[in-house]
Amino acid sequence: TESQLKEANNNTAPSGNITDLAFVIKDDNTVTDTTRTWRIYIKSTNKDVFADESDWVTMNAADKYFEGKVKLPTNGDVNIKLDKNFKYTGGNIVICVCEDGGIYYYAAYFKRFTAKANRSLTQRGSAKFNIASLPSASTSYRTYSPIIKFTIVPPPPFNLNVNVTTDGTSPMQGVSVNVTGKDSGGSAVQEEGSTAADGTCTFVDLNEPDEDCYTVTISKNGYKTVTEEVCADDIEEGEVTLGVVM
C-alpha cells in the first residue's frame, strides 16, 4: 500500500535539518500492535494542493529518507528516526509513505486534520509500487491528512577557508575577502577579512546560508575582483575551502 501526503508549511517552522517524524495515533484506535515495512520519501515542493487523482509529485531514490520496520503500537506516537537528515529551508514539503504489503491502516489508526484544500492522495494495491511512476489514486484525493510531528535541528556552523594565490602556488597577502548574504534563519550576514602572509583568510562559525547562498568577494587594488558563491550543499564536515587565483 502506498500513500502520498502533502503538508502545507507552518510559517513559524524554523529552517534546519528534519531528523525525526512522528505520526499521532487516534484516541479510539482499534488496531492491535503490529510491525509494518515502510519507505518514506520527502521532497520540497511549490504545490499548495493536489489538482486531481494523478497529480503525484515525482520521487526518486535520492528522496528516500527512511526504509525499514515500523512498530505500530496500540497507543502513543509512531516515532521514526530518519536514515538521513532532510534539509528544510522553508516552504511546503511532500511526504510520501509507502507501506509494502499488508493492511492499510491510515483511516483506522492515525489522527488526521481537515485542511482547506486537497492535500492527500492514496494508492492501494498488492504489489510494490514504482515511486517514480505512480498511477492515478485509487481513492479520491482528500482534504484531510494525518497529523505529523517534526523534529527540526538547526544546522551546525561551519568554517570558510579562502586561499588566494597569484599563480596557483604563490600566496598573496593583504587581499580583502568579504562574505555577504543571509543565513538559513533569514538574518543578514556581512563578514570582512583579509589574507595573511600565507594567502589564507578564515571565517569561523558561520551559520549555514539560505537557499540563495553566500557571496564571497575577493579583491585587491590592481587586480580583477573575483566573486564566488558558497551554498549549503558545499559544506562538508563543517568546512568549505575556496582556492582563488588573482
Side-chain angles (χ1 to χ4, degrees), residues 14 21 50 81 90 93 99 103 125 135 140 169-171 181 190 209 212 216:
L21 302 179
F50 291 121
K81 176 72 174 177
I93 61 175
E99 183 175 283
I103 301 172
S140 299
T169 57
S170 301
Q190 184 167 353
D212 292 327
V216 183

Side-chain angles (χ1 to χ4, degrees), residues 149-163:
K149 299 177 182 179
F150 301 90
T151 299
I152 302 179
V153 178
F158 72 99
N159 298 331
L160 172 61
N161 309 297
V162 181
N163 300 322

Side-chain angles (χ1 to χ4, degrees), residues 158 160 162 176-184 186-193 203 206-219 225-232 242:
F158 72 99
L160 172 61
V162 181
S176 296
V177 182
N178 296 327
V179 180
T180 57
K182 290 185 177 181
D183 65 21
S184 58
S187 298
V189 172
Q190 184 167 353
E191 300 286 343
E192 298 180 354
F203 299 90
L206 292 175
N207 291 330
E208 184 176 281
D210 67 5
E211 64 274 13
D212 292 327
C213 309
Y214 287 144
T215 299
V216 183
T217 305
I218 303 98
S219 62
T225 298
V226 176
T227 301
E228 300 282 353
E229 277 193 342
V230 172
C231 302
L242 294 178

